[in-house]
Amino acid sequence: MCSSFSTCRLTAVVSAASIGVDTLLNLLSCLLSMIRRVMTQRDMARCVAMVVAMVAAADAGIVSTMPMQKHMTLKPPHSRVAEVLGKNGSTIPADGSVWPTAIYWCYVEIGTPPVSFPVAIDSGSGDLDVSGKDCDGCVTTPPNKAYDATASSTSRPGFPRRFSNSYQTCDLKDPTAVCTIEGSVYTDQVSLAGIGPVEVQLGSIEKQTSNFDQFKEIDGVMGFTMGGKENVFSQLVAAGKCDNVWSICMHEGSKSNGSITIGGVDPRLSDKVEYVPDAGMGFHAVTVKSMSLGNTVAAKAESTVPVNENGILDTGTNILLVSGSVYKGLQGAMCQDSSLASCAALWSGQCVSLTPSQVAAYPELSMELSTGLELKMTSIDYLLLGSPLATAPNQYCLGIRNGGDAGGAGFIIGDTTMRNYYLVFDLAQKQIGWGPVNKDTCGSL
């Protein structure tokens, strides 16, 4: 098992059950040919490939969990996806803060010899980008490090040779301003959670605009979507290093602010995971039939808002974004209760002062998925304290926003919903798992 900031020593055992009878017979044939010295070069290549495949198959079955690390930055409502659209595993620490940062990060090892780099965990993108040597505008304070291609014996130029990425909602003072990172492309050996190494194409940031507030704490990002040679996780899967499953929970424990599992599901983080189809095309998503308020059948029936849309799952979004019609429906259903303090003001975008009892009076919000599974948010999940939009320390802001056309349908499910669950991205079976997070273990492994 991985401990914080350490790499697990991984071992694998090959058994007849795991590699199959036919494979054993073929391997025996190879060995006999070697003994009799009648093996051709083609036979030798076949046997070598067989051994490599067996080792890869043996590696499958490893589960490794690691912590995510902490960092705090005042961050307004934010969504990486909205910007873009405009059996083995390893659990490691993950950290961050649902509000206001929405940035969870862990370490990835790059190069030969390997060097650890902090990277934000992003389910809404698919690239690996880290700050490079002599970068203009990059952050150099710990835990950040600069990638030096000349210091790695396995680094070589990639194709294309250059990259340039631009984003919005990255400038805290002006969410509509454009932030840009650009630099050189390399391929190098990369490991994650002690699994690997594999060859990955990465971006070495050489210039970063000064308004890129998102990267002022953790100057790097690792995406888990749109698998390709730039995606660390998909390259691990393609090399047979781990199964095509990863999972994450977001809860402040004794060691970190969450845990990420690479290649599987860690039963210590949830005792019951229920699966629904992954309805996403490019981005991971779940189909939401309806939303309702309250925790009784009668209350839900009176406040049900039809949705019938796919909600994109994005760890880089720190609020719940819904389409305009759903936003209007939820506002009407919630604010019809005249006993809720400042309801109209909150839904109009204002931040207001509330007492703990006034916050607790707000109803539970439920999302019914296509299978009937309900995702629940309490009032403290959508009434958020600490926003830079607030004008006083005790003011709460509504963590539900009109997404308009963001994500195609304006519906993005972010950290404020995810933090109640151990979220499983089962890419192999194209399904998403939701399990009540074990608050005794998430962030404490």
Side-chain angles (χ1 to χ4, degrees), residues 52-67:
V52 171
M54 288 175 61
V55 171
D59 280 340
I62 301 165
V63 175
S64 180
T65 298
M66 65 184 292

Side-chain angles (χ1 to χ4, degrees), residues 120-139:
I121 300 163
D122 191 4
S123 66
S125 68
D127 296 337
L128 174 63
D129 296 322
V130 296
S131 58
K133 182 181 179 182
D134 299 324
C135 171
D136 178 10
C138 288
V139 178

Side-chain angles (χ1 to χ4, degrees), residues 296-313:
T296 66
V297 174
K300 289 181 179 179
E302 293 177 358
S303 61
T304 297
V305 177
V307 178
N308 297 314
E309 296 176 1
N310 293 337
I312 293 174
L313 305 173

Side-chain angles (χ1 to χ4, degrees), residues 287-292 304-309 366-369:
T287 301
V288 178
K289 294 168 57 178
S290 64
M291 290 185 176
S292 58
T304 297
V305 177
V307 178
N308 297 314
E309 296 176 1
S366 299
M367 283 182 269
E368 184 182 359
L369 305 187

Side-chain angles (χ1 to χ4, degrees), residues 14-31 46-58:
V14 180
S15 67
S18 64
I19 63 177
V21 175
D22 289 342
T23 303
L24 286 174
L25 291 176
N26 287 333
L27 180 60
L28 180 60
S29 174
C30 284
L31 293 174
R46 178 174 61 87
C47 289
V48 170
M50 187 183 307
V51 172
V52 171
M54 288 175 61
V55 171

Side-chain angles (χ1 to χ4, degrees), residues 32-92:
L32 289 173
S33 296
M34 292 176 66
I35 293 171
R36 295 171 181 171
R37 297 183 179 180
V38 295
M39 180 174 287
T40 66
Q41 287 185 339
R42 180 173 294 181
D43 291 334
M44 179 68 76
R46 178 174 61 87
C47 289
V48 170
M50 187 183 307
V51 172
V52 171
M54 288 175 61
V55 171
D59 280 340
I62 301 165
V63 175
S64 180
T65 298
M66 65 184 292
M68 298 186 288
Q69 312 308 320
K70 290 183 179 179
H71 106 72
M72 296 295 294
T73 295
L74 287 179
K75 191 79 175 168
H78 169 79
S79 173
R80 286 291 300 274
V81 164
E83 299 163 5
V84 174
L85 296 175
K87 353 194 215 175
N88 38 354
S90 180
T91 301
I92 58 180

